[in-house]
Amino acid sequence: MFGVGVAGGTAAALTPVVTADEDGVQAPAQRLRNTFDEMYRGRRIHGGSTAEYTEISVDGRPLHVMRRADGSYLSMVDHYRSYPTPLAAARGAVDELGGAQLSPASMQQL
């Protein structure tokens, strides 16, 4: 019984604290800064970032981006090119997608 309690407590401690924004998107409890919401080539790009977290969606579907060690960003759509900001990475992903849509599943659900 002790092992179950320890495992459950550890899982609870490691689970990030999240809140939902006005769009119902899960985000860390920290408020996103550097937010953007724009139409680019007919696609809605929405997102923002904190020092540790970046959240972007294209037409309401999550776009996974990563921050590189040099401070630039790359996306799963266009992962061979670096961009100076999350917005630039989202625009690059839209350019690469053309008329295609992102998968509706987020990376956390895989």
Side-chain angles (χ1 to χ4, degrees):
M1 197 64 162
F2 174 75
V4 172
V6 170
T10 302
L14 296 177
T15 303
V17 177
V18 296
T19 59
D21 68 7
E22 60 275 358
D23 295 325
V25 176
Q26 294 285 320
Q30 304 165 315
R31 296 293 288 167
L32 294 176
R33 296 183 304 269
N34 306 317
T35 59
F36 49 88
D37 189 359
E38 72 172 37
M39 291 298 290
Y40 177 73
R41 297 189 178 209
R43 311 293 282 275
R44 180 176 180 235
I45 300 174
H46 177 80
S49 62
T50 67
E52 299 88 24
Y53 182 80
T54 301
E55 179 179 286
I56 299 174
S57 66
V58 176
D59 295 333
R61 295 181 177 189
L63 171 67
H64 182 70
V65 295
M66 295 177 285
R67 187 152 194 190
R68 297 169 44 98
D70 65 2
S72 64
Y73 294 83
L74 60 90
S75 76
M76 294 305 289
V77 173
D78 187 10
H79 58 271
Y80 292 110
R81 185 166 175 200
S82 296
Y83 296 92
T85 65
L87 177 57
R91 289 176 179 161
V94 167
D95 291 342
E96 288 296 317
L97 284 169
Q101 291 288 325
L102 288 170
S103 169
S106 75
M107 293 302 290
Q108 286 101 9
Q109 294 172 345
L110 296 178

